[in-house]
Amino acid sequence: MMTFGEELKIFSSKYPYQEVQIDGVPIRYVLAGRKEAPAVVFLNGLDMQEMWIRYVDALQEKYCALMIEYPLVWDTNQKMMDGVHALMNKLGIVKPVLIGGGDGGCLAQLYAHKYPDNVSGMVLITTITVDSDYVRNIKKVAWITSLLKLKVRLSKWDKMEKKLIALTTSYFRNEGEQEEIYGRTFFDAIMDDPGYKENTFIL
């Protein structure tokens, strides 16, 4: 079985990132499949767009599949919604199915609320509704985010990386050995990217 890092290298050679300027901001994205086909747009959280590579590869035969690397300047939900919308317009993507995971599921809901005429459907994975108690409560403690980012900035990334991977993989339940290996190598590959710490935590 391949590790996630090996799989990502193969994917990247088949579907390299492209770049376009939106309002002077460079946006990196992967667009695979037939442009005239129905579109699927993948939205994720925590700057982990690579989580979608298997889906993009599987769907590109029959669909137009878009995976986005969010730029740092998209630092609010409003900017992310408008940025995604502008990118889709630039690429000629109309009425896609939005597939959102985690925070990306929240973004998909917010996008559909603001741009209902440009969505043909949604698939939401391990996410919450935007009117949930969680969302209301998290707003009350939003101030702590800057403190957490300061802590990460001052911490040794090697140790922090190991703690984050251990915390995340502690949620594995009933996975087989191969699934666990794939999951662990996913986080190894993502967090080994020199830009991940900067993009995710140091804003």
Side-chain angles (χ1 to χ4, degrees), residues 126-198:
T126 60
T127 190
I128 56 176
T129 59
V130 293
D131 65 347
S132 69
D133 287 338
Y134 172 82
V135 173
R136 283 186 286 273
N137 291 334
I138 202 69
K139 289 179 180 178
K140 298 175 184 177
V141 295
W143 59 271
I144 202 171
T145 301
S146 59
L147 295 178
L148 290 173
K149 289 179 178 178
L150 178 61
K151 177 179 173 61
V152 173
R153 185 182 293 118
L154 298 176
S155 299
K156 291 186 176 180
W157 177 243
D158 290 346
K159 291 183 178 179
M160 180 68 70
E161 179 183 352
K162 290 177 182 178
K163 287 182 180 179
L164 288 170
I165 292 175
L167 175 63
T168 306
T169 54
S170 70
Y171 290 99
F172 287 176
R173 297 289 185 275
N174 302 316
E175 285 81 4
E177 182 180 359
Q178 290 188 340
E179 286 82 3
E180 282 207 16
I181 292 172
Y182 188 82
R184 290 179 188 280
T185 59
F186 170 83
F187 291 108
D188 287 338
I190 297 302
M191 292 187 182
D192 275 348
D193 181 346
Y196 180 76
K197 176 186 174 184
E198 188 72 21

Side-chain angles (χ1 to χ4, degrees), residues 97-113:
V97 171
L98 302 178
I99 301 183
D103 291 343
C106 291
L107 179 61
Q109 294 171 68
L110 292 169
Y111 182 92
H113 181 74

Side-chain angles (χ1 to χ4, degrees), residues 81-92:
M81 284 186 293
D82 293 342
V84 167
H85 189 65
L87 177 61
M88 288 196 291
N89 284 341
K90 187 89 170 180
L91 299 177

